Amino acid sequence: MAFGSEAWLRGVIAEAVPEGSREQLWRMRRSALRIWPGEQVAPDAAGSRLGGRPLAAPGTSWPTWEGDPLDLLAQIDLVEVARLLPGNPLPDHGLLSFFYDTKTPAWGVVPSDPAGWRVRWERGPVEPIALPEGWGMFPAREVRWEPLVTLPRATEEYVDFIEAMEDTSTTKARSALDDAIGPGPAHHQLLGWPHLLQGSMHWSCQKESTFHRGDRPQYHPDASLTQDDWDELETDTRSADWQLLLQLGSEEMPGWCWGDGGGLYFWIRRADLAARRFDQVWTVMQC
């Protein structure tokens, strides 16, 4: 059975999880696409790729932060994704482009500046954006897709998952469920459950975005919150509404190293995704 397939995951659950919790856990599965970097392609190639030169509507300027261009990390062809993952929550046309400030990375455990990343949906005709003078770009590589079915890792702080795992706390069960996301360091993946390296990110997205975008200083990332504070956050925006959009792992080539060889995660609330508000994406780095 192929790693990440439905049959394989059913086998993992049957072996590791008590019978009474299996179906509840299985209902939490999420489909995803693993991204394998392929051969180098032209920097302005159409279709899905990692790196290269962004394609955007005519007249679009290269996005910047504090005077420096943001790096294009990934360009996703949504027609390809719709064909490989029918019924997924993304738009079924256009390009989704992910930009990030790799010069001064924004950690998810310190006050992040959302201007340090950008996600753009290009839904019409596109052309290559003019390269800023003196600025390089990551080599463009084609994308090879692999469909996956993912489950939450054992350290996920997702209420339904915690309830499902109440009687499955054995070392064997937790280890097997972690393997369901994938062994080793974070890999490249679109949608699904994330490969956690430092615990759940739902609350991190919740707290940081409320501090920055909600202009509420009591939710500064370094603040110690009372239970009432946490309850207020949950009431306001519900941490469980956050879902992974894109996960990128570290690579020696082209020099992507997130912290100490960790992962970079782009998150969005389900309501924002449904409304195509990609300007509301939040980013977390783990290592």
Side-chain angles (χ1 to χ4, degrees):
M1 290 180 287
F3 178 88
S5 67
E6 288 202 5
W8 182 81
L9 276 180
R10 282 282 195 184
V12 168
I13 292 175
E15 181 178 349
V17 179
E19 186 174 358
S21 298
R22 290 173 189 169
E23 283 307 311
Q24 184 180 358
L25 182 59
W26 180 247
R27 287 195 295 270
M28 280 180 275
R29 71 192 183 280
R30 293 179 182 174
S31 298
L33 290 175
R34 183 160 183 172
I35 298 171
W36 294 96
E39 297 296 321
Q40 195 162 328
V41 295
D44 56 357
S48 297
R49 56 178 158 85
L50 301 176
R53 184 177 176 184
L55 303 179
T60 301
S61 299
W62 198 299
T64 62
W65 181 38
E66 295 186 342
D68 288 329
L70 299 176
D71 294 295
L72 176 69
L73 300 184
Q75 172 182 285
I76 305 299
D77 185 333
L78 296 171
V79 173
E80 292 179 25
V81 174
R83 183 178 68 251
L84 294 167
L85 206 61
N88 79 80
L90 296 171
D92 61 3
H93 63 284
L95 299 173
L96 207 56
S97 300
F98 294 81
F99 296 86
Y100 189 71
D101 176 28
T102 61
K103 183 179 178 181
T104 312
W107 285 74
V109 293
V110 297
S112 303
D113 190 331
W117 60 80
R118 215 72 49 83
V119 177
R120 296 178 56 94
W121 177 32
E122 303 294 342
R123 65 197 79 182
V126 294
E127 64 182 21
I129 299 179
L131 184 67
E133 184 177 355
W135 191 259
M137 53 189 168
F138 289 118
R141 295 169 296 160
E142 67 180 0
V143 162
R144 293 184 290 109
W145 300 104
E146 179 186 5
L148 295 175
V149 182
T150 64
L151 288 174
R153 296 198 71 132
T155 52
E156 187 64 73
E157 295 177 6
Y158 188 80
V159 174
D160 291 344
F161 174 64
I162 292 172
E163 291 177 353
M165 291 292 289
E166 282 180 350
D167 58 352
T168 63
S169 58
T170 65
T171 301
K172 180 180 178 182
R174 292 184 180 278
S175 176
L177 290 174
D178 279 353
D179 287 345
I181 291 290
H187 51 264
H188 305 330
Q189 178 183 303
L190 184 72
L191 302 174
W193 287 98
H195 182 111
L196 299 179
L197 301 175
Q198 292 178 309
S200 181
M201 285 175 266
H202 291 85
W203 279 114
S204 182
C205 293
Q206 181 88 318
K207 185 179 177 186
E208 297 245 351
S209 64
T210 304
F211 167 67
H212 282 282
R213 292 194 170 126
D215 192 26
R216 298 169 70 180
Q218 67 269 38
Y219 298 120
H220 186 286
D222 293 337
S224 296
L225 304 186
T226 66
Q227 186 58 52
D228 287 343
D229 292 330
W230 285 117
D231 290 344
E232 182 181 3
L233 276 177
E234 179 72 10
T235 301
D236 282 353
T237 50
R238 286 192 48 79
S239 63
D241 289 340
W242 288 92
Q243 82 165 57
L244 180 69
L245 192 55
L246 179 70
Q247 165 185 296
L248 295 174
S250 292
E251 287 190 64
E252 184 176 347
M253 188 278 185
W256 289 357
C257 187
W258 316 122
D260 187 17
L264 187 66
Y265 307 81
F266 293 83
W267 290 80
I268 191 169
R269 290 190 183 98
R270 287 182 177 82
D272 290 328
L273 179 54
R276 310 317 190 201
R277 293 190 291 259
F278 292 104
D279 61 328
Q280 296 300 302
V281 165
W282 200 257
T283 302
V284 178
M285 184 193 297
Q286 288 193 349
C287 65

